[in-house]
Amino acid sequence: MAVTLTGTVLLVSGCTALTPGGGAQEPAESLGALGDLAEQELDWGPCDGGPSEAECATYEVPLDYDEPEGERIEIAVKRMAATGDDVIGSLLVNPGGPGGSGYDFVDHASFIVSEQVRERFDLVGFDPRGVGRSTPITCLPAEELDDFIGGEAESADGDGDMSELTEAGVADMEEGSREFVEACQANAPDLMLNVGTVNVARDMDVLRALLGDEKLTYLGASYGTHIGAHYAEQFPDRVRALVLDGAVDPTLDQLDLSVAQATGFETALRAFVEDCLTRTDCPLGGNGDSVEDGVAALDGFLARTAREPLHNSMDDREINRARAELGVLAALYSESWWERVREGLDDAMSDGDGTVLLQLGDELYSRGDTQEYENSTAALIAVNCSDSPSPRGVEAYVEAAEEAGEESPIFGPSLAWGALPCAFWPEEAVYDGGPLDAPGAPPIMVVGTTRDSATPYAWAEALAGALESGFLVTRDGDGHTGYRMGDACVDRMVDAYLIDLEVPRDGMACA
């Protein structure tokens, strides 16, 4: 099978400082019901890799918070001390996913936040439960995961169009999704029931208390916004400041998210093609061609790879349409990848060499070498399927693939099919707790980018609107997320909010 697994404008001038909402909490108060876990200490020591100034530790949390004295799992955490003397506290960070490593994210401190923020906060990242160095969830082995991600189902016209699968193709998709879930049940039967974001937020509150912070200061990107929203919902009086950048819409189930995401990728694709056509080395056409011409050229190329796979110089994997699509999809996450994807397309379209496209797809799915993946794909599916109910009938996914194909003909159908494992996820693992509006929380910043691929701008509008105290900051640009992406106005607003709790006045806009 083949799947793609994937998520008001204000101005810096004229800000008012707000006092944090809610009464002060003793740091350990949130641990009172967790017995001896409240007595843990973070035993900081050298890290296994990363900057020499970083320090690392682990702490324990309940596998199931309904049974706090039951089985425990481990959470890995990394800290980079503030560079200045006037330290406000800890800034917890998460890069998204689900499945992204907050532990590794801290290594890129100078990219994540500004120098001013680094001076005032200890930067702290953790691997959420099920991810990486924390107690990880594992499902399929690498060889079978290769087939799950890069295999192709039979399409009606033979060009790999996943909006028009044959009956056999649909059956193949269903079989692959069932096998994935069955592998999770065989390898992690208890953990898969407890990896949802509601529990990740609880783990983060334990960390906040163990760090000695009365209230949480947090920067979450992409899926990390969902962690932050869940935290505010459960612990509104423990929020100091939350920056939720590249927001996930909390009102949509996984299948609806996948279909809606197609609009973001289509917008980003057209921006990539438009830029490509202005360059002399664009493999999709030249200055005289329209964006529609360039998209058509890409679609035709991908259709050919379904019939005549590309070769590569890395290993024996066949680069079919599914793998070529993933390589191109990489371009839509950041402008910094556009040059490399153009190179990969040129190699593929001129010489039939898909090596660069394969490498880009591997990077998206954390395939660190030719033999193994990180566990981010298992974590991604497990968390997505646990976070909201999804349709249980395969026909809903057939219809969704057709709908997504109308919004984004190239990427939409595979995005919709990527949600199919959720049809078979154990129902007792699924969160259905209603809206996330966090009543009583102090002002929460949501950052949205107008041409964001993975988390469409409309999702930022939805999250800011859903949160009782949410307010929206907009970056007009390309790529995924907004802070530290080249817009000085947005960066200044985020910094002022994190450091001084300044919130832009209503009606102001970044020019």
Side-chain angles (χ1 to χ4, degrees):
M1 64 179 296
V3 297
T4 298
L5 309 168
T6 54
T8 304
V9 185
L10 306 168
L11 179 67
V12 67
S13 62
C15 295
T16 55
L18 297 188
T19 302
Q25 301 277 342
E26 290 299 321
E29 183 174 332
S30 65
L31 305 186
L34 301 180
D36 63 325
L37 291 180
E39 301 172 5
Q40 295 183 90
E41 293 185 3
L42 293 170
D43 185 15
W44 296 106
C47 301
D48 181 15
S52 59
E53 63 268 32
E55 47 188 357
C56 293
T58 60
Y59 65 102
E60 291 187 341
V61 294
L63 171 65
D64 182 349
Y65 276 89
D66 290 335
E67 299 179 6
E69 300 298 332
E71 183 179 349
R72 306 285 172 78
I73 57 175
E74 192 171 79
I75 306 296
V77 57
K78 180 183 288 185
R79 178 174 68 180
M80 295 271 282
T83 58
D85 297 326
D86 187 12
V87 180
I88 295 171
S90 304
L91 172 61
L92 273 64
V93 296
N94 181 276
S101 171
Y103 183 104
D104 291 336
F105 194 43
V106 171
D107 295 348
H108 309 287
S110 61
F111 169 79
I112 299 170
V113 296
S114 69
E115 182 179 342
Q116 293 89 336
V117 171
R118 283 282 292 118
E119 290 176 355
R120 303 298 300 278
F121 291 95
D122 295 334
L123 201 64
V124 179
F126 68 100
D127 280 357
R129 57 173 58 209
V131 175
R133 293 172 179 82
S134 296
T135 302
I137 185 169
T138 57
C139 297
L140 293 173
E143 183 177 350
E144 293 178 33
L145 191 55
D146 264 338
D147 292 337
F148 179 76
I149 293 172
E152 285 198 322
E154 183 179 87
S155 64
D157 54 11
D159 66 356
D161 182 355
M162 295 187 69
S163 66
E164 298 180 356
L165 294 183
T166 64
E167 185 175 331
V170 172
D172 182 49
M173 296 298 294
E174 179 176 356
E175 180 183 7
S177 293
R178 286 186 182 276
E179 288 177 352
F180 185 94
V181 176
E182 289 168 0
C184 298
Q185 291 171 321
N187 292 318
D190 297 321
L191 184 59
M192 73 180 296
L193 303 179
N194 293 283
V195 293
T197 305
V198 65
N199 287 322
V200 175
R202 291 171 178 170
D203 298 342
M204 189 161 68
D205 192 56
V206 174
L207 178 56
R208 171 203 61 79
L210 295 177
L211 289 166
D213 293 319
E214 293 185 359
K215 293 179 181 290
L216 178 73
T217 305
Y218 173 75
L219 170 62
S222 196
Y223 160 74
T225 67
H226 204 47
I227 299 174
H230 268 284
Y231 185 92
E233 180 69 21
Q234 296 181 73
F235 310 108
D237 57 349
R238 297 173 191 159
V239 170
R240 177 185 174 274
L242 306 182
V243 176
L244 309 182
D245 185 6
V248 175
D249 184 347
T251 67
L252 301 178
D253 67 31
Q254 187 54 39
L255 181 56
D256 288 339
L257 283 170
S258 298
V259 173
Q261 198 175 43
T263 63
F265 278 109
E266 182 66 18
T267 299
L269 172 64
R270 297 179 71 83
F272 165 72
V273 171
E274 182 177 16
D275 176 82
C276 182
L277 293 174
T278 66
R279 301 173 183 275
T280 57
D281 61 348
C282 178
L284 301 177
N287 256 324
D289 293 315
S290 67
V291 171
E292 285 73 17
D293 293 332
V295 172
L298 176 61
D299 191 28
F301 157 70
L302 292 171
R304 290 193 297 275
T305 63
R307 297 185 293 268
E308 301 175 9
L310 306 168
H311 65 268
N312 81 84
S313 58
M314 288 174 52
D315 52 40
D316 60 358
R317 282 178 293 168
E318 183 178 81
I319 306 178
N320 51 21
R321 175 167 183 155
R323 297 194 194 282
E325 270 191 26
L326 290 179
V328 177
L329 194 72
L332 309 185
Y333 278 87
S334 172
E335 287 181 78
S336 65
W337 289 33
W338 286 5
E339 180 178 0
R340 196 163 162 220
V341 175
R342 289 196 305 272
E343 174 192 341
L345 283 172
D346 185 56
D347 290 348
M349 297 174 77
S350 60
D351 300 325
D353 183 354
T355 303
V356 173
L357 294 179
L358 182 66
Q359 290 171 337
L360 287 162
D362 282 352
E363 289 172 26
L364 273 182
Y365 281 82
S366 301
R367 195 181 196 272
D369 56 43
T370 58
Q371 300 298 321
E372 196 56 75
Y373 288 85
E374 296 175 16
N375 86 311
S376 57
T377 299
L380 182 150
I381 293 177
V383 175
N384 281 344
C385 294
S386 296
D387 272 0
S388 62
S390 294
R392 295 282 161 171
V394 176
E395 184 58 35
Y397 297 82
V398 174
E399 295 174 0
E402 294 174 355
E403 179 185 347
E406 294 174 0
E407 297 288 347
S408 176
I410 292 179
F411 299 111
S414 57
L415 287 168
W417 281 116
L420 184 58
C422 298
F424 313 111
W425 204 253
E427 293 192 38
E428 65 269 30
V430 178
Y431 171 80
D432 189 16
L436 301 178
D437 51 6
I444 297 172
M445 177 182 284
V446 179
V447 182
T449 295
T450 54
R451 294 181 294 281
D452 193 312
S453 54
T455 52
Y457 179 68
W459 292 2
E461 294 178 306
L463 180 59
L467 293 169
E468 189 175 274
S469 61
F471 66 96
L472 181 61
V473 172
T474 299
R475 178 175 77 93
D476 182 13
D478 299 295
H480 185 33
T481 70
Y483 179 52
R484 304 285 290 165
M485 292 291 285
D487 189 315
C489 175
V490 170
D491 291 354
R492 286 194 299 269
M493 279 195 289
V494 173
D495 289 351
Y497 171 70
L498 287 173
I499 294 170
D500 297 317
L501 300 176
E502 292 184 359
V503 175
R505 294 173 185 166
D506 291 343
M508 307 303 284
C510 270

